[in-house]
Amino acid sequence: MVVSVEETARWCQALIGPSDAIPSLEDCLAAIPDLDSLGSLPAGTRVLVRGDTDVVVAGDGTISNDVRLRSLVETLTYGGRRGWVQLVYGHRGRDPEMSLEPVARHLESLIPADVRGNQPVAFVGEWLNDETGEVLDEAARQVDALSPGTIAVLENTRRYQIERSLWKATADEIEGLKDRLASYVNSVADRLGRVHINEGFAASNRDLSSTLVPLGSEQVALGRYVDDQLRRYVTRARQADLVVFSGIKINKLDDLEQILRRGTVKLVIAAGGLALALKKAAAIEAGDDFGLGLASDPTQEKIFIPPERIEQATRMYRRGVEAGIEFVLPIDFLLGNGLASETIPAAEAQFDIGPATIINQADAIDGFLEFHRQKTASGEGPAIVFHNGVFGLFEEEAFECGTREFIGQLRRLTEGGVEVYVGGGEGGTALGRYGQPDWVTHCFTAGGTILKALGSEPIPFLKALYLKMQGH
């Protein structure tokens, strides 16, 4: 199967264009095959496994936090037992010089020798011509020489600029890229493999390895881990009655706005910069004002909240209140001197929520537990919570109290029968520091992916797989 230049252009236009024709995540999952759909592939079949390989490698080449690599084990074992030649590919961070060779070595320690055909995990270094989009001859020869059951890791996909060419591409730019992109999709299919498995749960950007490779594939599927995460846990988190949103990044307002649009949320507990914007919005709606302190200073790039974000927060707050959503916002803050204040002076910034806010949040959890009891008694099932982020500069002991105390509230919720989902990232780090895994129903390993999944825009790799199954 050869994909034409125009087919490639149409595919890419669909990927970057409006998603009106893409159904809900749940409907997308119903249309996308799972790993068992590939069970009859014969030994020796070359299978591309888009992995979650973005791990931190120490100076000595070791990987201590390997949870993302362990997420590949079940799928690679499934393929290894069937004698497939599995080519794992993915990225590490955004630095093109970061190599995936340590990933190959670590996977070798995770995958039993008999599963990988009693062969070491191979490593394929430079494999792509960035200018033409074609797989290099030497890389193709290396892949051709792999015996059935072998697992190989390809070098960092982000070593090549083409990998990110769809991140911010416009329709006009696609026209200029289409020849190179068509060359890429056909060369990958012809020289590497025509079966694509997505096992890169955290890989939620429009990387070509996730979104264009399926176009040239004869068969596609979700890997075991991604499939389980999406079908069992993400679909439940999407039904959250309570969302806890916090953090320094003001662009999280976009994520919260998308989540609120879905219409399931009854209660929002907010902290951090996002809460400051909502606090300002609440004051505006009440005909009052609230000073943001240094967060209103454009020179403070990390915490600055621009006017357009205040407008967005005001719009969100107004619509939320009209829809019956309750917003629990901070009523006091810890300033840089460690003292609590109900206001933030012009030359100050907030570093954590204050003691009155901690009490207020606990009261809100009391009320939510009562809501849960009523919901359960009515036969609707348990209430659901989604928690994302941390409440302050929790890395410093002086400003960890708000985050630490709320991790305890998550335990209360879980013990009360509520389903509690933590979005990974800093929230997951805080759970590991102040709590235990069984204090929540599930903690995700990919914060950015979860935020996209809970909104109304489809995750790019799911959009691509859905388009493939619709015959695009």
Side-chain angles (χ1 to χ4, degrees), residues 239-285:
Q239 301 174 45
D241 303 284
L242 160 61
V243 293
V244 184
F245 246 65
S246 55
I248 195 172
K249 296 177 180 178
I250 194 59
N251 60 4
K252 276 191 174 183
L253 277 175
D254 297 332
D255 300 313
L256 180 59
E257 186 169 30
Q258 293 288 336
I259 291 170
L260 296 186
R261 282 178 180 172
R262 300 193 62 252
T264 67
V265 176
K266 312 293 189 303
L267 176 65
V268 174
I269 296 178
L274 179 135
L276 292 187
L278 290 170
K279 184 87 171 174
K280 181 84 168 181
I284 291 171
E285 287 297 287

Tab-separated table of all heavy atoms in Angstrom, residues 239-285:
chain	number	residue	atom	x	y	z
A	239	GLN	N	-16.183	11.521	34.321
A	239	GLN	CA	-17.503	11.718	34.931
A	239	GLN	C	-17.413	12.421	36.284
A	239	GLN	O	-18.358	12.403	37.067
A	239	GLN	CB	-18.195	10.361	35.090
A	239	GLN	CG	-18.396	9.612	33.787
A	239	GLN	CD	-18.963	8.213	33.993
A	239	GLN	OE1	-19.910	8.017	34.769
A	239	GLN	NE2	-18.386	7.226	33.339
A	240	ALA	N	-16.284	13.065	36.560
A	240	ALA	CA	-16.038	13.658	37.875
A	240	ALA	C	-17.115	14.654	38.287
A	240	ALA	O	-17.521	15.520	37.499
A	240	ALA	CB	-14.669	14.329	37.890
A	241	ASP	N	-17.549	14.515	39.533
A	241	ASP	CA	-18.465	15.486	40.141
A	241	ASP	C	-17.690	16.635	40.773
A	241	ASP	O	-18.183	17.756	40.856
A	241	ASP	CB	-19.295	14.802	41.233
A	241	ASP	CG	-20.070	13.599	40.729
A	241	ASP	OD1	-21.095	13.789	40.065
A	241	ASP	OD2	-19.633	12.459	41.003
A	242	LEU	N	-16.489	16.320	41.260
A	242	LEU	CA	-15.618	17.315	41.886
A	242	LEU	C	-14.277	17.319	41.168
A	242	LEU	O	-13.687	16.261	40.950
A	242	LEU	CB	-15.403	16.968	43.364
A	242	LEU	CG	-14.191	17.584	44.092
A	242	LEU	CD1	-14.278	19.106	44.106
A	242	LEU	CD2	-14.075	17.034	45.519
A	243	VAL	N	-13.804	18.500	40.790
A	243	VAL	CA	-12.446	18.618	40.264
A	243	VAL	C	-11.661	19.537	41.187
A	243	VAL	O	-12.154	20.583	41.622
A	243	VAL	CB	-12.401	19.137	38.811
A	243	VAL	CG1	-13.006	18.132	37.854
A	243	VAL	CG2	-13.079	20.486	38.674
A	244	VAL	N	-10.454	19.102	41.506
A	244	VAL	CA	-9.531	19.881	42.329
A	244	VAL	C	-8.412	20.323	41.395
A	244	VAL	O	-7.664	19.499	40.878
A	244	VAL	CB	-8.968	19.038	43.493
A	244	VAL	CG1	-8.099	19.907	44.394
A	244	VAL	CG2	-10.097	18.383	44.282
A	245	PHE	N	-8.329	21.623	41.156
A	245	PHE	CA	-7.392	22.149	40.168
A	245	PHE	C	-6.486	23.181	40.816
A	245	PHE	O	-6.958	24.094	41.493
A	245	PHE	CB	-8.160	22.811	39.017
A	245	PHE	CG	-8.002	22.103	37.703
A	245	PHE	CD1	-8.495	20.824	37.545
A	245	PHE	CD2	-7.370	22.704	36.642
A	245	PHE	CE1	-8.363	20.149	36.345
A	245	PHE	CE2	-7.231	22.056	35.431
A	245	PHE	CZ	-7.725	20.767	35.274
A	246	SER	N	-5.193	23.026	40.577
A	246	SER	CA	-4.252	23.968	41.164
A	246	SER	C	-2.961	23.955	40.376
A	246	SER	O	-2.773	23.164	39.455
A	246	SER	CB	-3.977	23.589	42.626
A	246	SER	OG	-3.545	22.244	42.710
A	247	GLY	N	-2.071	24.867	40.743
A	247	GLY	CA	-0.783	24.943	40.072
A	247	GLY	C	-0.445	26.357	39.657
A	247	GLY	O	-1.282	27.260	39.688
A	248	ILE	N	0.815	26.539	39.238
A	248	ILE	CA	1.301	27.870	38.891
A	248	ILE	C	0.972	28.255	37.455
A	248	ILE	O	0.918	29.438	37.098
A	248	ILE	CB	2.826	27.948	39.127
A	248	ILE	CG1	3.309	29.402	39.122
A	248	ILE	CG2	3.591	27.129	38.091
A	248	ILE	CD1	4.758	29.550	39.546
A	249	LYS	N	0.743	27.256	36.598
A	249	LYS	CA	0.532	27.515	35.173
A	249	LYS	C	-0.882	28.027	34.908
A	249	LYS	O	-1.854	27.302	35.064
A	249	LYS	CB	0.788	26.248	34.359
A	249	LYS	CG	2.228	25.748	34.435
A	249	LYS	CD	2.401	24.452	33.653
A	249	LYS	CE	3.829	23.946	33.732
A	249	LYS	NZ	4.012	22.655	33.029
A	250	ILE	N	-0.967	29.272	34.475
A	250	ILE	CA	-2.274	29.869	34.260
A	250	ILE	C	-2.976	29.286	33.048
A	250	ILE	O	-4.202	29.360	32.927
A	250	ILE	CB	-2.148	31.419	34.138
A	250	ILE	CG1	-3.521	32.089	34.258
A	250	ILE	CG2	-1.452	31.800	32.836
A	250	ILE	CD1	-4.241	31.817	35.561
A	251	ASN	N	-2.205	28.633	32.135
A	251	ASN	CA	-2.872	28.034	30.976
A	251	ASN	C	-3.724	26.821	31.359
A	251	ASN	O	-4.460	26.281	30.534
A	251	ASN	CB	-1.860	27.649	29.893
A	251	ASN	CG	-0.826	26.648	30.350
A	251	ASN	OD1	-0.877	26.158	31.476
A	251	ASN	ND2	0.125	26.350	29.479
A	252	LYS	N	-3.637	26.403	32.617
A	252	LYS	CA	-4.541	25.346	33.074
A	252	LYS	C	-6.002	25.798	33.055
A	252	LYS	O	-6.913	24.964	33.126
A	252	LYS	CB	-4.165	24.905	34.497
A	252	LYS	CG	-3.047	23.879	34.567
A	252	LYS	CD	-2.941	23.328	35.973
A	252	LYS	CE	-1.927	22.200	36.054
A	252	LYS	NZ	-1.877	21.621	37.421
A	253	LEU	N	-6.224	27.110	32.954
A	253	LEU	CA	-7.592	27.594	32.794
A	253	LEU	C	-8.241	26.987	31.564
A	253	LEU	O	-9.445	26.706	31.558
A	253	LEU	CB	-7.607	29.121	32.690
A	253	LEU	CG	-7.577	29.933	33.983
A	253	LEU	CD1	-7.463	31.412	33.654
A	253	LEU	CD2	-8.814	29.673	34.833
A	254	ASP	N	-7.445	26.783	30.504
A	254	ASP	CA	-7.985	26.174	29.286
A	254	ASP	C	-8.499	24.774	29.572
A	254	ASP	O	-9.584	24.388	29.118
A	254	ASP	CB	-6.911	26.114	28.186
A	254	ASP	CG	-6.429	27.487	27.754
A	254	ASP	OD1	-7.211	28.449	27.855
A	254	ASP	OD2	-5.268	27.594	27.319
A	255	ASP	N	-7.705	24.014	30.316
A	255	ASP	CA	-8.107	22.647	30.641
A	255	ASP	C	-9.361	22.630	31.515
A	255	ASP	O	-10.289	21.852	31.264
A	255	ASP	CB	-6.972	21.920	31.371
A	255	ASP	CG	-5.701	21.849	30.537
A	255	ASP	OD1	-5.791	21.497	29.352
A	255	ASP	OD2	-4.624	22.164	31.076
A	256	LEU	N	-9.377	23.492	32.527
A	256	LEU	CA	-10.541	23.536	33.405
A	256	LEU	C	-11.787	23.962	32.632
A	256	LEU	O	-12.879	23.403	32.838
A	256	LEU	CB	-10.289	24.480	34.574
A	256	LEU	CG	-11.435	24.612	35.584
A	256	LEU	CD1	-11.787	23.263	36.190
A	256	LEU	CD2	-11.069	25.611	36.684
A	257	GLU	N	-11.632	24.923	31.746
A	257	GLU	CA	-12.787	25.379	30.964
A	257	GLU	C	-13.357	24.238	30.129
A	257	GLU	O	-14.580	24.065	30.047
A	257	GLU	CB	-12.378	26.546	30.063
A	257	GLU	CG	-13.549	27.181	29.328
A	257	GLU	CD	-13.179	28.485	28.655
A	257	GLU	OE1	-12.006	28.638	28.262
A	257	GLU	OE2	-14.064	29.357	28.509
A	258	GLN	N	-12.477	23.459	29.502
A	258	GLN	CA	-12.939	22.322	28.708
A	258	GLN	C	-13.655	21.291	29.579
A	258	GLN	O	-14.699	20.739	29.197
A	258	GLN	CB	-11.750	21.661	28.003
A	258	GLN	CG	-11.083	22.504	26.941
A	258	GLN	CD	-11.948	22.637	25.697
A	258	GLN	OE1	-12.799	21.807	25.422
A	258	GLN	NE2	-11.729	23.693	24.947
A	259	ILE	N	-13.110	21.045	30.772
A	259	ILE	CA	-13.729	20.069	31.667
A	259	ILE	C	-15.109	20.520	32.114
A	259	ILE	O	-16.067	19.739	32.133
A	259	ILE	CB	-12.808	19.816	32.883
A	259	ILE	CG1	-11.550	19.061	32.433
A	259	ILE	CG2	-13.530	19.029	33.977
A	259	ILE	CD1	-10.474	18.964	33.483
A	260	LEU	N	-15.229	21.788	32.464
A	260	LEU	CA	-16.529	22.303	32.912
A	260	LEU	C	-17.565	22.253	31.808
A	260	LEU	O	-18.763	22.062	32.065
A	260	LEU	CB	-16.375	23.735	33.440
A	260	LEU	CG	-15.488	23.907	34.685
A	260	LEU	CD1	-15.546	25.351	35.180
A	260	LEU	CD2	-15.885	22.940	35.784
A	261	ARG	N	-17.134	22.408	30.575
A	261	ARG	CA	-18.069	22.358	29.443
A	261	ARG	C	-18.730	20.991	29.298
A	261	ARG	O	-19.787	20.879	28.674
A	261	ARG	CB	-17.340	22.707	28.142
A	261	ARG	CG	-17.100	24.190	27.933
A	261	ARG	CD	-16.340	24.429	26.644
A	261	ARG	NE	-16.094	25.843	26.424
A	261	ARG	CZ	-15.318	26.319	25.458
A	261	ARG	NH1	-14.695	25.473	24.637
A	261	ARG	NH2	-15.143	27.621	25.312
A	262	ARG	N	-18.094	19.961	29.831
A	262	ARG	CA	-18.646	18.621	29.683
A	262	ARG	C	-19.894	18.417	30.531
A	262	ARG	O	-20.660	17.487	30.312
A	262	ARG	CB	-17.597	17.570	30.032
A	262	ARG	CG	-16.360	17.668	29.129
A	262	ARG	CD	-15.438	16.469	29.228
A	262	ARG	NE	-16.125	15.280	28.810
A	262	ARG	CZ	-16.524	14.318	29.625
A	262	ARG	NH1	-16.290	14.419	30.920
A	262	ARG	NH2	-17.148	13.270	29.168
A	263	GLY	N	-20.099	19.281	31.533
A	263	GLY	CA	-21.378	19.322	32.222
A	263	GLY	C	-21.581	18.353	33.372
A	263	GLY	O	-22.704	18.226	33.870
A	264	THR	N	-20.525	17.684	33.846
A	264	THR	CA	-20.702	16.745	34.958
A	264	THR	C	-20.292	17.330	36.300
A	264	THR	O	-20.717	16.837	37.347
A	264	THR	CB	-19.886	15.455	34.725
A	264	THR	OG1	-18.489	15.761	34.770
A	264	THR	CG2	-20.221	14.814	33.386
A	265	VAL	N	-19.473	18.381	36.299
A	265	VAL	CA	-18.875	18.903	37.531
A	265	VAL	C	-19.886	19.689	38.348
A	265	VAL	O	-20.594	20.556	37.831
A	265	VAL	CB	-17.652	19.776	37.201
A	265	VAL	CG1	-17.087	20.403	38.472
A	265	VAL	CG2	-16.582	18.946	36.492
A	266	LYS	N	-19.904	19.383	39.640
A	266	LYS	CA	-20.777	20.107	40.583
A	266	LYS	C	-19.976	21.033	41.499
A	266	LYS	O	-20.514	22.022	41.994
A	266	LYS	CB	-21.533	19.106	41.470
A	266	LYS	CG	-22.211	17.957	40.747
A	266	LYS	CD	-23.353	18.418	39.881
A	266	LYS	CE	-24.160	17.224	39.348
A	266	LYS	NZ	-23.346	16.242	38.590
A	267	LEU	N	-18.701	20.688	41.733
A	267	LEU	CA	-17.885	21.420	42.701
A	267	LEU	C	-16.463	21.555	42.171
A	267	LEU	O	-15.895	20.599	41.643
A	267	LEU	CB	-17.874	20.663	44.032
A	267	LEU	CG	-17.012	21.201	45.168
A	267	LEU	CD1	-17.520	22.562	45.644
A	267	LEU	CD2	-16.987	20.206	46.341
A	268	VAL	N	-15.891	22.758	42.320
A	268	VAL	CA	-14.503	23.019	41.951
A	268	VAL	C	-13.768	23.526	43.179
A	268	VAL	O	-14.212	24.486	43.824
A	268	VAL	CB	-14.388	24.075	40.827
A	268	VAL	CG1	-12.925	24.425	40.568
A	268	VAL	CG2	-15.055	23.581	39.555
A	269	ILE	N	-12.676	22.885	43.552
A	269	ILE	CA	-11.774	23.388	44.583
A	269	ILE	C	-10.500	23.815	43.875
A	269	ILE	O	-9.867	23.020	43.176
A	269	ILE	CB	-11.470	22.318	45.640
A	269	ILE	CG1	-12.751	21.949	46.395
A	269	ILE	CG2	-10.403	22.808	46.618
A	269	ILE	CD1	-12.567	20.844	47.434
A	270	ALA	N	-10.133	25.089	44.005
A	270	ALA	CA	-8.994	25.616	43.245
A	270	ALA	C	-7.970	26.247	44.169
A	270	ALA	O	-8.288	26.746	45.249
A	270	ALA	CB	-9.476	26.639	42.219
A	271	ALA	N	-6.716	26.224	43.713
A	271	ALA	CA	-5.616	26.874	44.420
A	271	ALA	C	-4.587	27.300	43.386
A	271	ALA	O	-4.761	27.085	42.180
A	271	ALA	CB	-5.013	25.942	45.468
A	272	GLY	N	-3.503	27.916	43.848
A	272	GLY	CA	-2.455	28.340	42.929
A	272	GLY	C	-2.844	29.526	42.063
A	272	GLY	O	-3.812	30.242	42.338
A	273	GLY	N	-2.088	29.738	40.983
A	273	GLY	CA	-2.354	30.855	40.092
A	273	GLY	C	-3.719	30.783	39.459
A	273	GLY	O	-4.393	31.799	39.255
A	274	LEU	N	-4.157	29.582	39.158
A	274	LEU	CA	-5.485	29.404	38.587
A	274	LEU	C	-6.564	29.922	39.535
A	274	LEU	O	-7.518	30.579	39.122
A	274	LEU	CB	-5.681	27.918	38.294
A	274	LEU	CG	-7.002	27.467	37.718
A	274	LEU	CD1	-6.774	26.494	36.568
A	274	LEU	CD2	-7.814	26.755	38.809
A	275	ALA	N	-6.382	29.669	40.826
A	275	ALA	CA	-7.357	30.141	41.814
A	275	ALA	C	-7.336	31.657	41.928
A	275	ALA	O	-8.377	32.283	42.169
A	275	ALA	CB	-7.077	29.510	43.173
A	276	LEU	N	-6.148	32.280	41.753
A	276	LEU	CA	-6.090	33.737	41.820
A	276	LEU	C	-6.931	34.357	40.714
A	276	LEU	O	-7.637	35.345	40.933
A	276	LEU	CB	-4.645	34.211	41.701
A	276	LEU	CG	-3.689	33.879	42.853
A	276	LEU	CD1	-2.350	34.563	42.638
A	276	LEU	CD2	-4.282	34.274	44.195
A	277	ALA	N	-6.856	33.774	39.512
A	277	ALA	CA	-7.662	34.296	38.417
A	277	ALA	C	-9.148	34.154	38.718
A	277	ALA	O	-9.941	35.070	38.463
A	277	ALA	CB	-7.299	33.578	37.126
A	278	LEU	N	-9.539	33.019	39.264
A	278	LEU	CA	-10.944	32.806	39.604
A	278	LEU	C	-11.371	33.681	40.778
A	278	LEU	O	-12.515	34.146	40.849
A	278	LEU	CB	-11.180	31.332	39.928
A	278	LEU	CG	-11.101	30.368	38.733
A	278	LEU	CD1	-11.107	28.922	39.217
A	278	LEU	CD2	-12.252	30.613	37.760
A	279	LYS	N	-10.450	33.912	41.725
A	279	LYS	CA	-10.742	34.794	42.864
A	279	LYS	C	-11.001	36.222	42.371
A	279	LYS	O	-11.924	36.900	42.828
A	279	LYS	CB	-9.548	34.767	43.821
A	279	LYS	CG	-9.728	35.562	45.104
A	279	LYS	CD	-10.381	34.754	46.187
A	279	LYS	CE	-10.341	35.498	47.522
A	279	LYS	NZ	-11.087	34.798	48.574
A	280	LYS	N	-10.182	36.654	41.429
A	280	LYS	CA	-10.388	37.969	40.819
A	280	LYS	C	-11.728	38.007	40.095
A	280	LYS	O	-12.473	38.989	40.193
A	280	LYS	CB	-9.249	38.245	39.839
A	280	LYS	CG	-9.315	39.596	39.131
A	280	LYS	CD	-8.709	40.673	39.975
A	280	LYS	CE	-8.499	41.958	39.173
A	280	LYS	NZ	-7.884	43.026	39.993
A	281	ALA	N	-12.050	36.932	39.377
A	281	ALA	CA	-13.308	36.859	38.638
A	281	ALA	C	-14.501	36.935	39.587
A	281	ALA	O	-15.481	37.637	39.316
A	281	ALA	CB	-13.355	35.567	37.825
A	282	ALA	N	-14.412	36.202	40.709
A	282	ALA	CA	-15.506	36.215	41.679
A	282	ALA	C	-15.706	37.614	42.257
A	282	ALA	O	-16.843	38.060	42.463
A	282	ALA	CB	-15.222	35.218	42.796
A	283	ALA	N	-14.597	38.313	42.502
A	283	ALA	CA	-14.695	39.690	43.018
A	283	ALA	C	-15.347	40.602	41.975
A	283	ALA	O	-16.203	41.430	42.316
A	283	ALA	CB	-13.308	40.202	43.381
A	284	ILE	N	-14.968	40.470	40.735
A	284	ILE	CA	-15.550	41.291	39.662
A	284	ILE	C	-17.052	41.052	39.571
A	284	ILE	O	-17.847	41.994	39.457
A	284	ILE	CB	-14.857	40.981	38.321
A	284	ILE	CG1	-13.413	41.488	38.339
A	284	ILE	CG2	-15.629	41.595	37.152
A	284	ILE	CD1	-12.589	41.049	37.148
A	285	GLU	N	-17.448	39.788	39.629
A	285	GLU	CA	-18.873	39.450	39.533
A	285	GLU	C	-19.657	40.008	40.725
A	285	GLU	O	-20.848	40.300	40.605
A	285	GLU	CB	-19.043	37.930	39.459
A	285	GLU	CG	-18.623	37.325	38.131
A	285	GLU	CD	-19.477	37.823	36.988
A	285	GLU	OE1	-20.645	37.413	36.876
A	285	GLU	OE2	-18.975	38.660	36.201
